[in-house]
């Protein structure tokens, strides 16, 4: 049972689902709006990609993607 849940977690990546849901709600302007708000608040990045990778790793331990921070 636990092994089946681990396999399902790799197919259901929470970060990717959330990213697509935000894109759907904002009509594709989600990252642009988040980036502009982050710049107004003084941040260099909105953190969208880091958050997506972190959430994907919560549901799938073998998920690996490297994000370069400029």
């Amino acid at each position: 049972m636990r092994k089946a849940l681990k396999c399902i977690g790799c197919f259901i990546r929470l970060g990717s689902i959330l990213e697509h849901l935000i894109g759907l709600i904002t009509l594709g302007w989600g990252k642009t709006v988040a980036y502009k708000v982050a710049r107004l608040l003084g941040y260099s990045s909105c953190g969208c990609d880091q958050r997506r990778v972190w959430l994907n790793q919560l549901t799938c331990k073998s998920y690996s993607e490297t994000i370069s921070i400029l």
Side-chain angles (χ1 to χ4, degrees), residues 30-50:
K31 277 193 175 186
T32 304
V33 171
Y35 179 74
K36 288 184 179 182
V37 168
R39 295 300 288 178
L40 285 172
L41 295 176
Y43 296 103
S44 62
S45 172
C46 63
C48 297
D49 292 325
Q50 293 88 352

Side-chain angles (χ1 to χ4, degrees), residues 4 9 16 29 33 40 50 56 60 65-66:
S16 298
W29 290 92
V33 171
L40 285 172
Q50 293 88 352
N56 284 343
C60 182
E65 182 179 335
T66 57

Side-chain angles (χ1 to χ4, degrees), residues 19-64:
E19 181 180 32
H20 292 313
L21 183 64
I22 289 171
L24 183 67
I25 291 171
T26 61
L27 302 174
W29 290 92
K31 277 193 175 186
T32 304
V33 171
Y35 179 74
K36 288 184 179 182
V37 168
R39 295 300 288 178
L40 285 172
L41 295 176
Y43 296 103
S44 62
S45 172
C46 63
C48 297
D49 292 325
Q50 293 88 352
R51 185 173 25 260
R52 178 181 49 81
V53 169
W54 182 75
L55 287 170
N56 284 343
Q57 288 173 344
L58 280 179
T59 54
C60 182
K61 299 297 182 191
S62 62
Y63 181 84
S64 65

